Amino acid sequence: MTLTILYFAWLRERIGLPRETVQTEAATVADLVDELRAREERYAFTFADLKAVRVALDQELTDFDAPLAGVREVAFFPPMTGG
Amino acid sequence: MTLTILYFAWLRERIGLPRETVQTEAATVADLVDELRAREERYAFTFADLKAVRVALDQELTDFDAPLAGVREVAFFPPMTGG
Amino acid sequence: MTIRVQAQPFDYGAESNAFARSSDGAGAIVTFCGVVRDNDGTLRGMEIEHYPGMTERALSTIEAEARSRWSLSDALIIHRHGALNPGEMIMMVATASRHRADAFAAAEFLMDYLKSRAPFWKKERTATGEGWVEAREADEDALKRW
Amino acid sequence: MTIRVQAQPFDYGAESNAFARSSDGAGAIVTFCGVVRDNDGTLRGMEIEHYPGMTERALSTIEAEARSRWSLSDALIIHRHGALNPGEMIMMVATASRHRADAFAAAEFLMDYLKSRAPFWKKERTATGEGWVEAREADEDALKRW
């Protein structure tokens, strides 16, 4: 499946790009994160501590064990600091 | 002692004046109210139900059993409806 | 800290902006504004009576109490008296704090006390007559939580 | 019900007045405004990043939830993104209701959820460098009461 991955705030800065398109068969967000970590050091570094990372699937906040079936857009970002 | 008595809202309307000066030896607010009630029907009518009346002595909210010694200004009014 | 009791209208927006600007560094600004509401379309106007002297004292006491309970960098109370038309603004409060929870709590506290402890009385004029607004039990009850 | 996410500044006072006027009959208006604060005098500026698309969805969801919980005649959320200077206004919310308790509760609810559930991230630039503002545990805890 083809996924668009978005990165925000310090995740965007560490990975060095705001978005990318990946081909993956990952079943869950956690599986996708494992694939990304295995790719390159900057991914491993960015996803070292998942407690500091939040994930949204198709713009809805969710958990790392959420399934990716049918999803088109995955976003990773730190806890939000609006307001 | 000489007291200035102020009336507000419907107490002012029922008694028919916003303020008056009285000579009294009343020891407490309740005693003063009894004196006023005995004066004329409009006072008796106005002070018929004290649950609907509030009192301030020298501009501080207080109770009907408060002593009048040293007080110069007594105000009677309904529960407040500001805001 | 500012308290104003006045017959003339005030500009809620202009007061809010001026308050926010002068509270530099506060971070969190909360305002409340009370508007003359015409629930069933029959209200012609409102008259607000107050007790000059005691009004300012009561508002100062309430504001001092709010400042002692929460960390506020500034507070504002404006309350009108006299004749008001439907849709006109009756009063406003504003609070400024570094923490939004303090600004919210203090503004709500000021409103709760102002409703039942500041000497204002509202009289409504409708098509069929006029009458004094009765105090709501809920407003007296609201004081118990503080 | 209005939600605006924008880079350009907004006029807090003018928005407050327009909101109060359009909420005719509401009686109680509450606003909150967040200002870029410079706690120790070293802040040069702030950059707010957001997630276009998700931001509007999240704010709409939060606003709909507030409307389902309280009796509101209107609500407004404005949030800026991009570069902001110290003293500039970051965002505002406004709520209108016939009951002040509803207007206060809804405004505080909107703020609590907006803080931790709307995809905005603040980066501060100081004399010595720049860094992302960390989420406060107190902000996450604030959600538990609703």
Side-chain angles (χ1 to χ4, degrees), chain C:
Chain C
M1 311 291 162
T2 307
I3 290 169
R4 277 160 41 202
V5 182
Q6 61 187 49
Q8 66 270 28
F10 63 92
D11 185 326
Y12 174 44
E15 297 290 347
S16 296
N17 267 345
F19 182 81
R21 256 184 241 114
S22 73
S23 314
D24 198 38
I29 310 291
V30 170
T31 75
F32 176 92
C33 179
V35 183
V36 179
R37 69 179 178 199
D38 181 9
N39 292 337
D40 52 7
T42 65
L43 190 72
R44 294 281 170 81
M46 178 181 277
E47 182 80 25
I48 300 178
E49 187 170 334
H50 80 120
Y51 182 175
M54 179 172 166
T55 307
E56 292 76 4
R57 282 170 73 120
L59 294 178
S60 296
T61 302
I62 293 165
E63 196 192 47
E65 178 70 22
R67 279 187 282 135
S68 78
R69 289 180 181 225
W70 294 281
S71 171
L72 298 181
S73 58
D74 205 359
L76 167 72
I77 301 175
I78 302 174
H79 205 301
R80 291 183 65 190
H81 59 85
L84 283 88
N85 294 312
E88 277 196 83
M89 287 155 183
I90 302 170
M91 49 76 60
M92 71 173 286
V93 306
T95 54
S97 175
R98 287 177 64 156
H99 308 288
R100 75 181 183 286
D102 281 24
F104 271 114
E108 210 165 357
F109 173 91
L110 288 175
M111 283 309 304
D112 283 354
Y113 271 82
L114 197 150
K115 276 266 168 192
S116 307
R117 292 293 181 271
F120 291 101
W121 302 276
K122 293 193 186 105
K123 190 178 203 173
E124 290 181 340
R125 202 172 66 251
T126 67
T128 55
E130 54 179 39
W132 294 96
V133 173
E134 287 202 44
R136 293 166 61 230
E137 215 168 310
D139 284 333
E140 190 64 31
D141 289 346
L143 299 184
K144 292 176 186 153
R145 61 181 160 151
W146 301 111

Side-chain angles (χ1 to χ4, degrees), chain D residues 20-125:
Chain D
R21 255 184 243 112
S22 73
S23 313
D24 198 37
I29 309 290
V30 170
T31 75
F32 176 93
C33 178
V35 183
V36 179
R37 68 179 181 200
D38 181 10
N39 293 336
D40 52 7
T42 64
L43 189 72
R44 296 280 171 82
M46 178 180 276
E47 183 80 25
I48 299 179
E49 185 170 333
H50 80 119
Y51 180 174
M54 180 173 168
T55 307
E56 291 78 2
R57 281 170 74 120
L59 294 178
S60 295
T61 301
I62 293 165
E63 198 192 45
E65 178 70 22
R67 279 187 284 134
S68 78
R69 288 180 182 225
W70 294 281
S71 171
L72 298 180
S73 58
D74 205 359
L76 166 72
I77 302 174
I78 301 175
H79 204 301
R80 291 183 64 190
H81 59 85
L84 284 86
N85 294 312
E88 278 196 83
M89 288 155 183
I90 302 170
M91 49 76 60
M92 73 174 285
V93 306
T95 54
S97 175
R98 288 177 65 154
H99 308 288
R100 75 181 184 286
D102 281 24
F104 271 114
E108 211 166 355
F109 173 91
L110 288 176
M111 283 308 305
D112 283 353
Y113 271 83
L114 197 152
K115 277 266 169 193
S116 306
R117 292 292 181 273
F120 291 101
W121 301 275
K122 294 194 186 103
K123 189 177 205 175
E124 289 181 341
R125 202 172 66 252

